[in-house]
């Protein structure tokens, strides 16, 4: 999902959640949950956009008019032991900005 699509979903109030997913050994990515599914934010070339800190993720959301998200910190051990679908909301930290 590109930034323009993210903005369109936010302005039409079709967003369910925005998740800042941070792995212990990799950069943070922004996942957008909406009525039809969920996707990671991508750049114009189709590459997943990464953030080195929460401030960069905040800036992406501010551009789309979004002011809340969930911080999901995934421990690499959890990734290996998880089932097919991880329950992000059980272990997430809600953020308002």
């Amino acid at each position: 999902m590109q930034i323009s699509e993210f903005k369109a979903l936010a302005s039409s109030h079709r967003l369910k959640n925005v998740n800042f997913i941070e792995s212990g050994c990799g950069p943070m990515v922004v996942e957008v949950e909406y009525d039809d599914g969920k996707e990671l934010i991508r750049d114009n070339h189709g590459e997943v956009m990464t953030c080195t800190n929460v401030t960069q993720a905040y800036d992406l959301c501010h551009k789309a008019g979004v002011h809340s998200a969930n911080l999901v910190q995934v421990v690499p051990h959890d990734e290996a032991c998880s089932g097919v679908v991880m329950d992000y909301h059980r272990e997430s930290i809600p953020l308002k900005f």
Side-chain angles (χ1 to χ4, degrees):
M1 169 178 298
Q2 293 185 346
I3 296 289
S4 59
E5 296 168 305
F6 182 35
K7 287 179 182 179
L9 283 173
S11 65
S12 66
H13 305 287
R14 293 180 41 219
L15 289 179
K16 288 185 177 180
N17 285 303
V18 176
N19 301 309
F20 298 166
I21 303 174
E22 181 180 53
S23 174
C25 57
M28 182 182 298
V29 295
V30 179
E31 177 186 66
V32 178
E33 292 183 45
Y34 55 100
D35 295 334
D36 299 329
K38 56 185 168 182
E39 293 184 45
L40 298 177
I41 299 290
R42 297 178 180 274
D43 64 15
N44 293 335
H45 305 290
E47 298 292 323
V48 173
M49 293 183 71
T50 59
C51 304
T52 56
N53 56 48
V54 176
T55 303
Q56 289 179 342
Y58 285 162
D59 290 343
L60 272 174
C61 288
H62 275 286
K63 288 178 185 177
V66 175
H67 301 284
S68 64
N70 298 305
L71 176 61
V72 180
Q73 295 177 311
V74 180
V75 178
H77 173 73
D78 290 345
E79 292 172 347
C81 297
S82 71
V84 174
V85 177
M86 292 181 65
D87 184 9
Y88 292 153
H89 304 292
R90 183 176 51 114
E91 299 293 329
S92 65
I93 302 167
L95 304 171
K96 300 282 183 194
F97 44 90

